Amino acid sequence: MIESRIDFRKAKFLISAPDIAHLDEYLPGDVGVEIAFAGRSNAGKSSALNALTEQKSLARTSKTPGRTQLINVFALDDNRRLVDLPGYGFAQVPMAMKKKWQQALGEYLQVRRCLSGVVVLMDIRHPLKDLDRQMIEWAVESEIPVLALLTKADKLAQSARMKTVNQVRKELSDMKDWVQVEAFSALKGTNKPKVLSILNEWCHPEWLMQELAQQEDDA
């Protein structure tokens, strides 16, 4: 069966959920394929999602980091979804709320069976903070591939950008079988084709392709 390229421009808002339990209510069966986007509240996560889908307001952007307090799900087709997880770290919210978000993030990464890959977004000027490392480690321990996406790459000169990318790759080298590292700029579109290629690959896990092929045979 030939793998079709996913048109990420067709992403549409599906649902919002406060936690993994409610996500199961809205999407029963934990089926299909999900790609999660996670990052600190000032990492440019919403801007990246909008840039990758070529939609100005698919994910809400705000001058106040941490406004995304829900798990927001966007459908690509009947089988595939993008999941915008709550921002962590910087947000000026009560500690109890921060702990609730972190619990939801960890729970989602560790128990969501349909999760095919995780994009961990980090400001290229401030990569690999403690919570970023924790997110990456959670995913790798669950054998889920990770794209460490260094956002706001336009803020650095090309030489400084490559130096940071190589440094992050070195620091994550013990997990290189599971982690890819790329620079990205939502403003300039830096490495957008590369990122979309990775996401497209994650959208076609072997088990899903076999399942779709079986559905075609049955039809």
Side-chain angles (χ1 to χ4, degrees):
M1 182 176 182
I2 298 175
E3 294 183 5
S4 59
R5 289 200 64 83
I6 301 300
D7 188 351
F8 291 90
R9 296 171 299 180
K10 293 184 178 180
K12 295 181 179 179
F13 175 76
L14 187 60
I15 54 141
S16 290
D19 51 42
I20 192 74
H22 287 83
L23 194 63
D24 283 334
E25 290 179 13
Y26 296 133
L27 297 170
D30 193 0
V31 296
V33 167
E34 290 178 356
I35 297 174
F37 285 71
R40 292 174 63 84
S41 301
N42 57 344
K45 182 158 53 70
S46 296
S47 295
L49 273 165
N50 290 340
L52 291 169
T53 59
E54 297 184 19
Q55 299 187 40
K56 292 183 178 180
S57 57
L58 180 72
R60 294 184 179 181
T61 58
S62 172
K63 293 182 179 180
T64 305
R67 291 294 295 275
T68 303
Q69 301 180 19
L70 300 171
I71 299 173
N72 294 309
V73 183
F74 307 99
L76 295 171
D77 58 27
D78 291 341
N79 297 295
R80 301 169 176 92
R81 301 176 293 276
L82 303 179
V83 180
D84 183 10
L85 298 174
Y88 55 81
F90 182 82
Q92 298 299 312
V93 296
M95 182 59 67
M97 178 64 74
K98 288 186 181 181
K99 289 182 177 179
K100 181 179 179 180
W101 290 359
Q102 287 176 231
Q103 180 180 359
L105 291 171
E107 190 175 39
Y108 174 83
L109 291 177
Q110 292 168 328
V111 307
R112 195 73 175 166
R113 294 171 299 173
C114 62
L115 185 58
S116 181
V118 179
V119 182
V120 177
L121 300 97
M122 299 173 279
D123 187 323
I124 195 168
R125 298 164 296 179
H126 313 287
L128 292 180
K129 300 294 186 182
D130 288 345
L131 286 175
D132 300 323
R133 290 178 182 274
Q134 187 175 17
M135 291 293 294
I136 293 170
E137 289 170 359
W138 271 339
V140 171
E141 287 172 1
S142 299
E143 298 187 346
I144 299 168
V146 173
L147 172 59
L149 198 61
L150 307 183
T151 61
K152 307 182 184 181
D154 54 283
K155 300 292 186 181
L156 296 180
Q158 185 173 358
S159 58
R161 182 190 311 163
M162 286 309 303
K163 181 179 179 180
T164 302
V165 169
N166 289 332
Q167 180 181 347
V168 172
R169 285 174 176 165
K170 183 178 180 180
E171 291 192 41
L172 298 175
S173 60
D174 59 328
M175 296 182 282
K176 64 181 180 180
D177 290 342
W178 292 98
V179 181
Q180 299 179 69
V181 181
E182 298 291 343
F184 180 76
S185 168
L187 182 64
K188 302 291 186 180
T190 305
N191 284 335
K192 179 178 174 181
K194 174 65 173 178
V195 173
L196 289 175
S197 177
I198 293 170
L199 299 184
N200 189 75
E201 182 181 345
W202 287 352
C203 280
H204 295 88
E206 182 177 352
W207 66 265
L208 177 62
M209 303 312 295
Q210 292 175 348
E211 182 177 292
L212 294 177
Q214 184 62 51
Q215 290 176 5
E216 288 184 357
D217 291 341
D218 293 342

